[in-house]
Every structure is written in structure tokens, then in C-alpha cells.
């Protein structure tokens, strides 16, 4: 088996994916399958941190469009990410993999507060760390959170797990002729306006020289394949 090309990564998971085939909520078989993929990645000797969205439970922008202020709506969305982290932590622990949820919010009865030193300690212990609560501030997405946390903990890459196998020049679900890019620079991703990640995340990745690998989480084993440089996806770097 090929050795992993990264030794510490942040994996960004979409909250919507936690709903499985449903439009809302948590689908336990899907969460269990994701947990299995993360454990396989950890067994390669890779230190794994995970940032999870909250769109399967609450989307702050949508809440705000109904009359709630954007800061309040975004806070609700950030709390939803903590719920997803706790669900994933439980799935990992059931499978025998030590994990720990760390939140950008102070909520001691629920989970620990995220700090760099705490993250480093748990990674060194072999735990998978689950980073909830976004950045702790409204107006920032969990994509930006993933890049920010990766820069803070010295990760070598951000793995953006989606429903498509990379970045395309058009929506491949709507346009059969859409072209998938093997590689893009951060500047090309920004200038192209590709929606797979928000502009702030791409800009921060460029500033911190962090590669982003966009791939599909739909296939079991996809995380491990990407870590070994064998998976199908788009590398955004340089």
C-alpha cells in the first residue's frame, strides 16, 4: 500500500451529506460510513482533524432571509455544526477510534473549547479531533474555518469532501460536457468563481500556501485514496 503523502490534514465535510438521502436531519448509516473512512485514514498514520458544516440542520443564511438577523442566524448554524461533530464523535468512539469534539464556543457541559494547544495534544494522542462552532464569528463559512484551522495547526492540506469528484468549469449534474480540472492555482479558483469553496477560503489558502484537494466522499475509501495520492479529485495549490 502506498504511503500517505500528507501526515496531518483537515477534512472539510458538508453538513448536508450527513442527511444521506433525506433533505434534513442525520442519517446514521451515512455517518457511520464516514466514520469508517476517517478511521481508515487515521490507520495510515495520518493525524486527522475534521470540520463539519451544519446545513443538514440549520443554514444561517436561510434563517436570516426569514427575518432573523444574520449574526443570530449564523450562530444557530454554528451550533448545528457542534451537534454534527458530537454525532460523528459518537460514531467514531463506537468503532473504537478515540475522538474529541472541540468547539469555538465556550460550552463546558457539552465539549471542550478549541485551542491550538488542546488540538495538538489530542492529535499527538492519536485522537481524531472534530472542530465545531465555525470560527466562532458570524459571516464566516465552515470552508473558511477549515482553512483557518489547518493553518493554525500546521496541517499540510485541506481535503474538501463533496458530492462531486473535483472542480468543474460547469455543473456536471446539469452539463454533461463539463470539464473537470486536475489542478488549479488558488488565483485561478478565485478568478474562475468556482463555487466548490467560498472566495475567503481560497484567498486564505493562497495566503497560507495551503493546498486544497476537492474530491467526492460518495465512494467508500475515498479519503484514504486521496491521502495516498491515488484518488480522483482536483488539487488547488500554488
Amino acid at each position: 500500500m502506498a504511503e500517505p503523502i500528507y501526515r496531518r490534514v483537515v477534512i472539510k465535510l458538508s453538513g448536508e451529506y450527513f442527511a444521506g438521502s433525506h433533505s434534513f436531519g442525520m442519517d446514521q448509516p451515512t455517518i457511520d460510513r464516514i466514520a469508517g473512512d476517517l478511521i481508515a485514514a487515521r490507520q495510515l498514520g495520518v493525524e486527522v482533524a475534521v470540520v463539519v458544516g451544519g446545513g443538514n440542520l440549520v443554514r444561517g443564511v436561510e434563517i436570516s432571509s426569514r427575518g432573523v438577523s444574520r449574526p443570530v442566524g449564523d450562530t444557530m448554524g454554528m451550533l448545528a455544526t457542534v451537534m454534527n461533530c458530537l454525532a460523528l464523535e459518537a460514531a467514531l468512539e463506537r468503532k473504537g477510534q478515540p475522538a474529541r469534539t472541540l468547539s469555538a464556543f465556550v460550552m463546558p457541559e457539552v465539549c471542550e473549547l478549541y485551542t491550538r494547544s488542546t488540538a495538538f495534544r489530542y492529535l499527538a494522542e492519536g485522537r481524531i479531533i472534530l472542530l465545531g462552532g465555525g470560527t466562532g464569528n458570524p459571516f464566516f463559512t465552515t470552508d473558511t474555518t477549515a482553512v483557518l484551522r489547518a493553518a493554525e495547526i500546521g496541517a499540510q492540506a485541506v481535503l474538501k469532501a463533496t458530492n462531486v469528484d473535483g472542480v468543474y468549469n460547469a455543473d456536471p449534474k446539469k452539463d454533461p460536457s463539463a470539464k473537470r480540472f486536475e489542478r488549479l492555482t488558488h488565483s485561478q479558483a478565485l478568478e474562475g468563481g468556482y463555487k466548490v469553496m467560498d472566495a475567503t477560503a481560497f484567498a486564505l489558502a493562497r495566503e497560507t500556501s495551503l493546498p486544497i484537494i476537492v474530491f467526492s466522499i460518495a465512494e467508500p475509501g475515498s479519503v484514504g485514496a486521496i491521502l495516498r495520492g491515488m484518488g480522483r479529485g482536483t488539487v488547488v495549490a500554488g
Side-chain angles (χ1 to χ4, degrees):
M1 182 181 292
E3 287 294 308
I5 57 178
Y6 304 111
R7 290 297 177 181
R8 179 183 294 162
V9 296
V10 170
I11 301 173
K12 168 57 173 54
L13 296 173
S14 166
E16 286 90 341
Y17 199 78
F18 276 40
S21 60
H22 310 290
S23 60
F24 179 82
M26 297 181 185
D27 181 66
Q28 195 60 53
T30 298
I31 295 172
D32 288 340
R33 204 269 294 167
I34 292 172
D37 270 12
L38 296 176
I39 292 170
R42 181 69 196 95
Q43 289 172 342
L44 292 173
V46 178
E47 294 181 346
V48 177
V50 182
V51 171
V52 186
N56 57 317
L57 302 174
V58 174
R59 293 189 65 85
V61 173
E62 291 181 5
I63 292 291
S64 299
S65 69
R66 300 174 195 152
V68 175
S69 72
R70 178 66 184 275
V72 172
D74 283 359
T75 298
M76 293 169 66
M78 288 186 282
L79 291 172
T81 71
V82 176
M83 295 169 66
N84 280 339
C85 284
L86 292 172
L88 184 54
E89 178 188 301
L92 289 165
E93 293 276 358
R94 281 197 302 273
K95 292 176 180 290
Q97 169 60 52
R100 187 59 56 93
T101 296
L102 303 175
S103 170
F105 292 105
V106 177
M107 45 177 69
E109 293 83 7
V110 177
C111 59
E112 290 184 64
L113 179 69
Y114 164 82
T115 66
R116 290 178 67 241
S117 60
T118 303
F120 287 139
R121 184 173 78 252
Y122 286 134
L123 288 172
E125 291 176 359
R127 294 180 185 268
I128 292 176
I129 58 172
L130 311 170
L131 306 175
T135 66
N137 301 285
F139 302 104
F140 291 95
T141 67
T142 48
D143 283 346
T144 299
T145 302
V147 178
L148 174 63
R149 297 297 186 233
E152 288 178 331
I153 67 173
Q156 295 169 304
V158 174
L159 277 55
K160 164 77 173 182
T162 72
N163 288 319
V164 291
D165 58 350
V167 180
Y168 285 76
N169 63 349
D171 187 343
K173 296 179 181 178
K174 298 178 180 178
D175 184 355
S177 65
K179 173 189 173 184
R180 184 177 66 85
F181 298 104
E182 291 288 340
R183 192 176 185 91
L184 290 167
T185 66
H186 296 113
S187 295
Q188 287 171 331
L190 279 165
E191 293 162 6
Y194 304 116
K195 303 299 185 182
V196 70
M197 256 187 159
D198 67 83
T200 304
F202 278 135
L204 182 57
R206 180 176 61 184
E207 177 75 16
T208 55
S209 301
L210 265 169
I212 299 171
I213 298 90
V214 182
F215 70 104
S216 172
I217 192 70
E219 291 296 323
S222 57
V223 175
I226 291 294
L227 288 171
R228 297 193 304 275
M230 301 169 62
R232 180 180 172 89
T234 299
V235 177
V236 182

